[in-house]
Amino acid sequence: MKNVKAIAAGQFIFLFMVAFFVFMAVVSPQFRTHYNLFNLWLDAVITGILGIGMTFVIITAGIDLSVASSLVFSAMIGAILMSRGQDVLLSFLVMLAVGLGFGLFNGVMVARLKMVPFIVTLGTLSLGRGLAMLSTRAKSVYGFPEIVTRIGSGEIGFFPIAGLIMAFLYVVAWYVLNRTVFGRSVYLVGSNPRAARLSGIDVERVKSLVYLVSGLCAAIAAFIQMGRLNAAKPNMLYGLELDVVSAVVLGGTSLFGGKGNILGTLWGTMVIVLIRNAMVLFGVSVYYHQVVKGLVILAAVLIDILRSGVLRKQ
Amino acid sequence: MSNSLALPEKRKRWTDVFVDYGIYTSVVILFFAFGFFFPQAFFSVTNVRNILASASVIGIMAIGMTFVILTANIDLSVGSAAYFAVALGVLAVKRAGWHPFLGILIIVATAIGIGALNGFQISRLKMVPLIATLASLGIFRGLALQFTDAASIYGMPPLISKIGIGYVGSAPIPIIMLFVLYVLAYYILEKTRFGTYVYAVGGDRDAAFKAGIHVPNVMLSVYLLHGFFVGMASLILCARMDGVVPALGAGMEFDVITAVILGGTSFSGGVGNIWGTLAGAVIITLINTALTILNVSAFYYDIFKGSVILLAVVLDTFRQRRMGIIT
Amino acid sequence: MRKLVLLGIAVCFVVMALGIVAFAEEKKEIHIGVTVPGLFSPAFVEMKRQGELKAQELGVKVTVVSAENDIDRQFEQVRDFIAAGVDGIVITTIDSHGIVKAVEEANKAGIPVITVDRKSFGGEVFYHEETDNFNAGRLCAVYVAHLFKDNPGPIEIFIERLDPSVDSVEDRFQGFMFEVSQWPNLKVVAAPNLGMDVGKAFDATINAFQANPNIKVIFLPGEPWLSGTVSALKQLGKWFPRTDPNHIVMVGVDGDQFAVENMIEGYYDFSAVQAIDKFVADAIEVFVQYFREGKKPPVKERYVPVLGLCPENFDFIKDRVWGYRVYMEQKGKQ
């Protein structure tokens, strides 16, 4: 029953995305260009990959506000290593370790020490930024080996490599969430922790594992981000975490946990990116971008509420 | 008579004392610790006065936020609301040439209006507070940027700037506002029936509903009240800045929330008190001041802030554990 | 069925939000995209305004966006311009290394790029204009040294150091420090990092004076922070005009209208004026000449000298100070 509702929510955002895409393709010749569509996909990658981890976390009724900071810190560490001539693969492994480290810290705080996820990850957010700033004393690091830029912004045929990576990760995530025991336990922990515990699920372990997933996603996204600009700067991507949360919520995942759709997050990310693209192509004043984004989120939430009939119950 | 949840007394451990009164002793300890190393910077009436005045903006905003978090809600839009309110007020006074008193009214009314909007979405439309106020954050900052074309507008008339830098006798006006508003909040929270409703709704929403409390109305009123305090804090902000700048209030919500949590109010709602929030705001200000005086680079500032937040959470968790909310 | 209706409403909603603005504009032949670091600074605001005026004068369309000090966002904005099919791009970059990829992409797309105020360390740039930030900071220190040359000191200086990761203001800070190190009677007692947050000026000033009550000089690498500093000085009761022996010397870089106003009123001492206001306008003019007449700019790079504005030479050079022009315009309106 839960799963049917979850998929239905995902479908709405999917239809919306398709409708909007078609609308843009018809109306704007600049939209239809390969350059634009390619970059559209690339733009979605960072938020999209972070969204995978965030979806896992939110389904367990948690939240991870530190994703952007752990991404930036991973990126800085990777950048420093690579600029000192370290092997790319080794640097990437270190970055993964950093991301997992953040995830572990968050996971232990939330699951074992039972602390409120919102505040804990707020603390890790500040810590991560501070460490990133400290790592290079706020300077940027630039100039990475070619493989990095190739993965971050290069293509295979018509498709961006990073975009394909994101798609692959979503397939994996879908499989884990919907076809494995772990995935089902994530849903159950979010919707009914007592039932989960009675079914023999180690609730604490599941709750901390999802933060590890989030940290892992942040590290992967960090690697791609490095290839995007061929540079890493500690004060970039402020506010990204809020975009990620928005994408997840737009995709139909409930902040109360237990309900959620990983594909919905993908469509939510695409919608956010599409709308920004549309505003740019139409020449809408930059300040209205935030306004429109906020209104779209409100509209989506409102529609979700109307559909679930919560208001009628009063 | 206190309205805080009356739960069965658990065996008192030393940690309990620390958790209950730790925040106040922390303020005192921090103050003396910093003062030991920088006597001329801390140990004087002037300096205490300056610290309190600096704490006024976050402190007053934190009053409203305390009410909001007590009802198990949240508001991420305070910084943007402050910017929007101040922007409208400054535009009215500087561009349209209206009387400064009207400007003051506009700032406070706008803040209350935004509170009403948030409150309506959360209490009537049943939106999740995190998302509703997140959307407000973007919407109001964007609108204000559009209306002011992201300009910095300076030069407020004395009626307004006096709020930030004026004195009554030897007390700066922000400090007077701080104390008056805190006493007012204390009265509302602890001595009125509305206050009991606030605690009840936060402690157990269903039980409050069944007890006949009109939960949506309480939540809406809380957001309205909160808007009023945001308006008051915005006045001081406007006066200090002598106008409006595009980055006004950016990121302020996190400092405010930290102050409230540090001060003993629990995210789960129903537990907390207003004086703790004041102590929390003072601690944050003390740390900011010390970091500036110590010439500590901004790099360490974030690390420090993060650590303080985590400390706040640890305290909050001990509190919740003792209350039996978690095991 | 109901789902489709809701879907339709949602799409209409978003389209409405966009469509009105979009189609109201007339199509112009030349479209230039400009990205600036941020509009919290009156210097950048004036730069944007002059650019838009010049565009209007020449009959071209210009879109100015602010990157909010985020290099990733600036990169996205350049990409957006390429996607929107602009004819030329003007960049005031936040980070000379980080912008390279964006410039290269514009090169690939065949769109000429002009950089102003800060260079790009890579890619092909059509034209470049800047002022020397290091010397701007240095000039301020020279003036301070000149004021106190007969004073054995130590003269205590408070610097509102902004953000080391933003090259332009950091260069000014370094220039100031370089000059100060040559003068044994000048001593910097406080130089906190304020990030790029204008709101921190007030508290930082209060704290600085709390720790060092004898500060005699304040250096502002960016004059947007002046307003909060002034409010703080007023609250501390340390706001004295030049004629008063307790006067606190204030020097800064930019030359904006607030600095000019305070100098006229007798409180501000020195401003290293950047002629940044005309950069975007110049860039647009260069582009237009190239697109319409095929003329390339005579030099590939232009360095605009910094003017030192102080009470002694105020009347002499005030007409070359953009802040003075803005100040007079705003006074005329009231």
Side-chain angles (χ1 to χ4, degrees):
Chain A
M1 190 59 220
K2 261 195 324 283
N3 286 329
V4 171
K5 260 201 182 160
I7 295 173
Q11 251 186 11
F12 174 73
I13 196 74
F14 180 72
L15 287 176
F16 181 84
M17 178 193 85
V18 170
F20 197 72
F21 191 91
V22 168
F23 167 74
M24 287 300 297
V26 163
V27 157
S28 166
Q30 291 137 352
F31 182 82
R32 299 195 284 262
T33 61
H34 171 255
Y35 184 78
N36 191 57
L37 293 171
F38 186 89
N39 285 326
L40 205 61
W41 196 345
L42 263 185
D43 279 346
V45 168
I46 301 290
T47 312
I49 294 182
L50 288 179
I52 294 176
M54 187 71 83
T55 309
F56 273 79
V57 170
I58 293 187
I59 291 181
T60 63
I63 195 165
D64 187 354
L65 292 175
S66 67
V67 286
S69 304
S70 91
L71 185 160
V72 173
F73 183 54
S74 291
M76 295 315 297
I77 295 291
I80 293 174
L81 286 174
M82 283 189 213
S83 69
R84 299 232 178 114
Q86 285 296 338
D87 177 46
V88 172
L89 185 59
L90 186 66
S91 309
F92 179 59
L93 288 176
V94 173
M95 287 170 70
L96 284 181
V98 170
L100 286 173
F102 266 86
L104 189 65
F105 186 78
N106 283 331
V108 166
M109 286 257 156
V110 170
R112 305 277 170 199
L113 301 182
K114 305 269 200 290
M115 301 183 177
V116 179
F118 186 91
I119 290 284
V120 168
T121 54
L122 196 61
T124 354
L125 181 155
S126 292
L127 274 179
R129 281 282 169 191
L131 288 171
M133 284 280 189
L134 204 56
S135 63
T136 59
R137 303 205 79 81
K139 294 281 178 205
S140 63
V141 184
Y142 50 91
F144 306 129
E146 214 222 296
I147 178 101
V148 179
T149 33
R150 193 125 159 76
I151 292 180
S153 38
E155 69 249 11
I156 287 183
F158 282 135
F159 309 111
I161 297 181
L164 294 173
I165 294 178
M166 175 178 81
F168 173 70
L169 287 173
Y170 264 95
V171 169
V172 170
W174 182 89
Y175 186 79
V176 169
L177 265 182
N178 293 318
R179 293 275 183 269
T180 67
V181 174
F182 175 65
R184 276 197 286 277
S185 62
V186 169
Y187 276 107
L188 195 55
V189 164
S191 61
N192 196 338
R194 283 198 68 205
R197 206 184 303 269
L198 291 172
S199 320
I201 297 175
D202 187 342
V203 171
E204 274 78 41
R205 191 151 150 267
V206 170
K207 275 197 172 176
S208 35
L209 278 177
V210 293
Y211 284 96
L212 281 171
V213 170
S214 183
L216 195 67
C217 290
I220 297 175
F223 188 79
I224 295 178
Q225 172 69 25
M226 287 167 68
R228 206 166 127 83
L229 283 172
N230 203 14
K233 209 166 179 320
N235 65 345
M236 62 182 179
L237 303 179
Y238 272 115
L240 181 62
E241 54 273 329
L242 299 179
D243 275 354
V244 177
V245 172
S246 304
V248 173
V249 171
L250 271 176
T253 304
S254 167
L255 282 168
F256 292 116
K259 220 169 55 139
N261 182 357
I262 190 72
L263 290 180
T265 305
L266 181 58
W267 315 140
T269 307
M270 291 309 305
V271 165
I272 288 182
V273 169
L274 272 171
I275 291 181
R276 199 188 77 87
N277 190 240
M279 290 195 282
V280 165
L281 291 178
F282 286 149
V284 173
S285 158
V286 185
Y287 309 132
Y288 278 134
H289 289 200
Q290 291 183 54
V291 180
V292 171
K293 211 157 57 164
L295 289 173
V296 168
I297 293 172
L298 284 182
V301 170
L302 198 55
I303 290 176
D304 190 47
I305 288 174
L306 287 173
R307 241 173 351 99
S308 68
V310 166
L311 289 179
R312 260 185 271 126
K313 280 197 205 131
Q314 281 190 300
Chain B
M1 182 205 81
S2 163
N3 280 331
S4 317
L5 278 183
L7 287 173
E9 286 287 306
K10 285 203 157 182
R11 193 182 62 226
K12 284 227 182 263
R13 299 180 294 191
W14 68 273
T15 47
D16 294 350
V17 177
F18 178 67
V19 164
D20 273 342
Y21 302 108
I23 192 72
Y24 308 112
T25 48
S26 300
V27 175
V28 175
I29 291 175
L30 267 182
F31 182 73
F32 278 99
F34 289 144
F36 178 73
F37 291 108
F38 300 95
Q40 78 273 25
F42 282 90
F43 288 155
S44 83
V45 177
T46 331
N47 293 325
V48 173
R49 206 171 58 190
N50 285 336
I51 291 173
L52 281 177
S54 290
S56 60
V57 174
I58 304 247
I60 294 178
M61 271 203 197
I63 298 178
M65 189 69 83
T66 309
F67 277 83
V68 170
I69 296 187
L70 273 176
T71 57
N73 287 329
I74 195 152
D75 185 357
L76 291 181
S77 67
V78 283
S80 303
Y83 177 44
F84 187 71
V86 172
L88 286 188
V90 171
L91 283 174
V93 170
K94 293 292 287 185
R95 296 267 171 91
W98 290 4
H99 192 272
F101 186 69
L102 280 180
I104 294 178
L105 280 182
I106 287 177
I107 291 178
V108 181
T110 309
I112 296 180
I114 296 178
L117 196 69
N118 284 330
F120 178 73
Q121 287 170 340
I122 291 167
S123 64
R124 302 283 177 224
L125 298 181
K126 305 283 188 241
M127 289 189 178
V128 176
L130 188 75
I131 293 295
T133 56
L134 183 59
S136 291
L137 183 153
I139 292 175
F140 287 108
R141 184 154 291 270
L143 283 178
L145 283 171
Q146 180 68 28
F147 293 162
T148 59
D149 202 18
S152 307
I153 307 174
Y154 298 117
M156 303 312 297
L159 185 65
I160 293 182
S161 53
K162 268 233 181 352
I163 297 177
I165 60 180
Y167 288 79
V168 170
S170 63
I173 292 187
I175 295 185
I176 296 179
M177 283 175 70
L178 187 70
F179 280 120
V180 167
L181 290 173
Y182 263 91
V183 170
L184 177 69
Y186 171 75
Y187 182 78
I188 295 176
L189 207 49
E190 304 285 345
K191 302 279 184 236
T192 67
R193 195 181 299 180
F194 177 69
T196 58
Y197 292 166
V198 169
Y199 276 107
V201 166
D204 190 332
R205 202 168 283 186
D206 280 332
F209 183 71
K210 287 183 185 131
I213 298 176
H214 196 291
V215 173
N217 273 357
V218 171
M219 296 214 287
L220 182 62
S221 314
V222 162
Y223 274 98
L224 283 172
L225 194 62
H226 166 59
F228 169 71
F229 288 111
V230 170
M232 288 281 123
S234 304
L235 280 177
I236 300 179
L237 209 51
C238 175
R240 285 246 200 100
M241 183 73 10
D242 199 24
V244 68
V245 293
L248 197 86
M252 196 167 271
E253 37 276 333
F254 292 126
D255 276 344
V256 175
I257 292 175
T258 308
V260 174
I261 302 293
L262 260 183
T265 304
S266 184
F267 243 14
S268 54
V271 178
N273 82 85
I274 199 75
W275 300 114
T277 304
L278 179 58
V282 171
I283 286 193
I284 289 185
T285 312
L286 270 177
I287 293 177
N288 281 351
T289 313
L291 287 177
T292 320
I293 292 180
L294 287 170
N295 238 338
V296 172
S297 53
F299 317 137
Y300 290 100
Y301 175 69
D302 273 333
I303 296 180
F304 229 91
K305 199 157 84 153
S307 310
V308 170
I309 293 176
L310 288 173
L311 180 70
V313 174
V314 170
L315 285 178
D316 190 43
T317 313
F318 274 124
R319 205 175 292 127
Q320 289 192 41
R321 211 171 268 181
R322 188 174 66 101
M323 290 286 178
I325 294 172
I326 52 178
T327 44
Chain C
M1 186 58 220
R2 187 144 180 263
K3 235 192 320 194
L4 281 177
V5 170
L6 288 176
L7 180 65
I9 295 175
V11 174
C12 287
F13 179 75
V14 179
V15 168
M16 226 169 46
L18 305 172
I20 304 169
V21 186
F23 298 115
E25 293 204 8
E26 26 166 325
K27 293 287 170 199
K28 295 225 181 68
E29 29 128 3
I30 299 178
H31 183 194
I32 297 176
V34 181
T35 160
V36 301
L39 292 172
F40 56 88
S41 158
F44 288 138
V45 170
E46 181 62 12
M47 187 173 82
K48 170 176 181 262
R49 194 174 79 104
Q50 289 296 326
E52 284 165 347
L53 282 175
K54 177 65 75 170
Q56 223 178 13
E57 180 194 316
L58 296 175
V60 301
K61 177 172 170 197
V62 70
T63 306
V64 182
V65 293
S66 152
E68 310 293 325
N69 281 321
D70 189 332
I71 188 67
D72 189 83
R73 189 181 297 208
Q74 197 164 54
F75 177 67
E76 260 180 7
Q77 287 170 344
V78 172
R79 268 232 191 109
D80 291 342
F81 284 143
I82 299 175
V86 298
D87 302 287
I89 299 178
V90 181
I91 305 178
T92 311
T93 189
I94 296 160
D95 185 309
S96 297
H97 291 295
I99 203 67
V100 169
K101 216 150 186 307
V103 175
E104 284 172 354
E105 257 185 54
N107 293 150
K108 251 199 318 199
I111 300 178
V113 173
I114 291 182
T115 48
V116 297
D117 196 44
R118 288 221 57 79
K119 277 201 164 108
S120 162
F121 291 158
E124 211 187 276
V125 166
F126 190 69
Y127 176 68
H128 175 73
E129 220 173 72
E130 76 172 45
T131 53
D132 190 335
N133 284 306
F134 186 87
N135 275 328
R138 203 172 156 195
L139 258 182
C140 292
V142 166
Y143 187 76
V144 171
H146 155 77
L147 274 185
F148 292 102
K149 62 180 185 291
D150 295 323
N151 192 321
I155 308 293
E156 296 192 1
I157 305 177
F158 163 52
I159 305 179
E160 295 186 16
R161 183 178 185 184
L162 301 175
D163 193 335
S165 69
V166 177
D167 298 336
S168 46
V169 291
E170 179 62 8
D171 283 351
R172 298 172 194 178
F173 171 73
Q174 297 294 344
F176 188 88
M177 294 302 287
F178 173 76
E179 185 62 31
V180 161
S181 64
Q182 323 274 338
W183 299 90
N185 63 337
L186 300 179
K187 186 171 121 169
V188 174
V189 294
N193 288 25
L194 302 185
M196 290 308 269
D197 183 357
V198 185
K200 294 223 173 95
F202 185 88
D203 287 321
T205 308
I206 301 251
N207 293 335
F209 276 92
Q210 235 174 280
N212 310 282
N214 297 317
I215 291 176
K216 268 310 267 179
V217 177
I218 302 181
F219 171 53
L220 300 163
E223 277 159 6
W225 280 257
L226 178 58
S227 175
T229 311
V230 167
S231 293
L233 285 174
K234 284 185 181 165
Q235 181 173 51
L236 288 168
K238 293 202 183 267
W239 184 239
F240 302 107
R242 232 174 280 122
T243 46
D244 189 302
N246 291 312
H247 170 68
I248 295 180
V249 174
M250 296 184 70
V251 302
V253 180
D254 262 353
D256 69 24
Q257 61 270 36
F258 307 110
V260 165
E261 189 175 346
N262 278 304
M263 190 176 291
I264 291 178
E265 287 175 7
Y267 291 94
Y268 201 70
D269 296 88
F270 183 85
S271 180
V273 178
Q274 281 206 94
I276 195 172
D277 59 314
K278 285 282 170 32
F279 282 176
V280 171
D282 286 348
I284 292 177
E285 198 160 356
V286 165
F287 268 144
V288 169
Q289 276 194 329
Y290 178 64
F291 293 138
R292 286 195 183 145
E293 300 162 37
K295 274 197 343 211
K296 287 200 174 169
V299 288
K300 268 215 119 181
E301 294 180 348
R302 189 168 156 243
Y303 292 88
V304 179
V306 175
L307 281 178
L309 180 71
C310 57
E312 289 90 331
N313 68 1
F314 190 87
D315 286 320
F316 196 59
I317 64 170
K318 65 186 180 206
D319 295 313
R320 290 159 63 186
V321 177
W322 64 271
Y324 181 72
R325 187 185 65 232
V326 175
Y327 168 72
M328 292 306 283
E329 272 173 34
Q330 287 183 343
K331 237 175 69 145
K333 277 194 211 146
Q334 283 170 354

